[in-house]
Amino acid sequence: MVGGSGFYEFLEGAEEVKVDTPYGAPSDLITVGEVAGRRVAFLPRHGRDHRFPPHKIPYRANMWALRSIGVRQIVAPTAVGALTPSYGPGTLVIPDQLVDRTRNRVQTFFDEGACHVPFADPYCPTVRAHAIGMARESGWVPAGSGTLVVIEGPRFSTRAESLWFAGQGWTLVGMTGHPEAVLARELAMCYAPLALVTDTDAGVEEGEGVTAAEVFEVFAANIKRLRDLVAKVVTSLPADRDENDLCAHALDGLKLPFDLPLQPRPHRVAATTDRGGWWPRAGVPPTA
């Protein structure tokens, strides 16, 4: 769904799949392979050549393409800035709330009809629980809650904006976590982010503000640890969602204006991103 070259490496027997959607082409070919015997799909959100900035990513095509090949559960590692000094660089957060501060992104598949999905809890509780459990088991004790505010980008926040976000009680800031979460819910897919703090956002404390180099350095230092955690999370998820799963039943009772894309063979998707939209591999954008 999102990502860079650092996450191709954990897929065994990988093959690329081209998917067309009613919303155009997704960001890139989807790579499907196995992790410990479990089928996993991976889609680089920005494209392998990094051609899509955060506000131009084909979010609807990405989500539709993933569901059409059988994806039902999405794990989405993401680099974020902290809005509180208590979350230093390298902190792992499994947020439970989201605030949308984007401006120009299409954030629904429901262009016709009165369809309203429940979104009070934007992230899948089942995937979140597995992510928290696997992180603790790995010795990377996460913050088990937090509010991620998603901004339009591609610029970083001003000091005044960061102070305002922090004053609302929000704890993290990023650029690419919305509208993915709501689009996943509209397709009855589970979605939860693994948020890696790469910096303290401008305005929270004194300094030069956020730089891309700072983001690169922290993410590069944690990529192996994050990749190992993603592998553990996706292999720990249940093969079948239970009857009480919030996301699986998000569309119950709704008359949809389209037929859902169906595929009987389920995959998981490992999703990776950074807060500025660049994938830090040795400090440079990805080439693979």
Side-chain angles (χ1 to χ4, degrees):
M1 168 181 43
V2 282
S5 55
F7 275 76
Y8 288 98
E9 299 171 10
F10 80 162
L11 293 176
E12 301 173 357
E15 59 180 352
E16 293 182 334
V17 179
K18 182 179 180 180
V19 182
D20 295 319
T21 82
Y23 306 96
S27 296
D28 215 311
L29 298 176
I30 301 173
T31 301
V32 178
E34 292 190 354
V35 177
R38 306 291 289 272
R39 297 289 288 175
V40 176
F42 172 73
L43 173 59
R45 173 195 280 140
H46 298 280
R48 274 176 263 195
D49 57 358
H50 195 72
R51 61 189 178 277
F52 295 111
H55 62 297
K56 294 292 186 179
I57 291 168
Y59 292 103
R60 292 201 294 182
N62 286 353
M63 293 293 102
W64 191 275
L66 290 171
R67 194 186 198 282
S68 70
I69 67 166
V71 170
R72 297 296 181 270
Q73 297 166 309
I74 298 174
V75 179
T78 178
V80 297
L83 295 168
T84 170
S86 61
Y87 291 170
T91 301
L92 179 69
V93 185
I94 316 296
D96 57 345
Q97 280 297 319
L98 178 150
V99 173
D100 173 25
R101 290 293 302 168
T102 65
R103 297 183 180 88
N104 301 308
R105 304 181 188 188
V106 179
Q107 57 179 293
T108 183
F109 290 106
F110 302 147
D111 293 328
E112 299 177 0
C115 296
H116 310 284
V117 296
F119 204 59
D121 298 303
Y123 303 127
C124 175
T126 300
V127 178
R128 287 189 68 255
H130 280 266
I132 292 169
M134 289 298 101
R136 289 174 176 167
E137 187 177 295
S138 301
W140 198 357
V141 180
S145 64
T147 297
L148 171 62
V149 54
V150 181
I151 61 176
E152 185 73 3
R155 67 171 178 83
F156 293 125
S157 303
T158 67
R159 295 185 189 278
E161 288 168 335
S162 294
L163 288 170
W164 177 49
F165 297 158
Q168 305 308 305
W170 306 334
T171 48
L172 305 168
V173 59
M175 298 180 189
T176 52
H178 183 82
E180 281 175 355
V182 67
L183 293 174
R185 183 67 56 83
E186 289 188 348
L187 295 179
M189 294 192 294
C190 299
Y191 178 102
L194 310 180
L196 174 67
V197 174
T198 57
D199 57 88
T200 301
D201 209 55
V204 176
E205 58 184 28
E206 294 299 322
E208 297 300 318
V210 184
T211 65
E214 184 180 2
V215 173
F216 289 158
E217 181 179 358
V218 175
F219 219 123
N222 286 275
I223 179 58
K224 184 181 185 303
R225 193 179 191 188
L226 189 57
R227 187 171 60 230
D228 291 345
L229 176 59
V230 170
K232 290 182 179 180
V233 174
V234 298
T235 56
S236 75
L237 292 172
D240 298 304
R241 297 186 291 181
D242 65 45
E243 61 182 13
N244 296 318
D245 186 275
L246 168 69
C247 310
H249 294 281
L251 305 180
D252 288 0
L254 295 180
K255 184 178 180 181
L256 302 182
F258 51 76
D259 293 327
L260 289 173
L262 300 175
Q263 210 277 359
R265 185 181 183 186
H267 303 285
R268 278 123 189 102
V269 57
T272 64
T273 186
D274 68 356
R275 56 168 309 188
W278 296 339
W279 181 256
R281 184 186 183 193
V284 298
T287 57

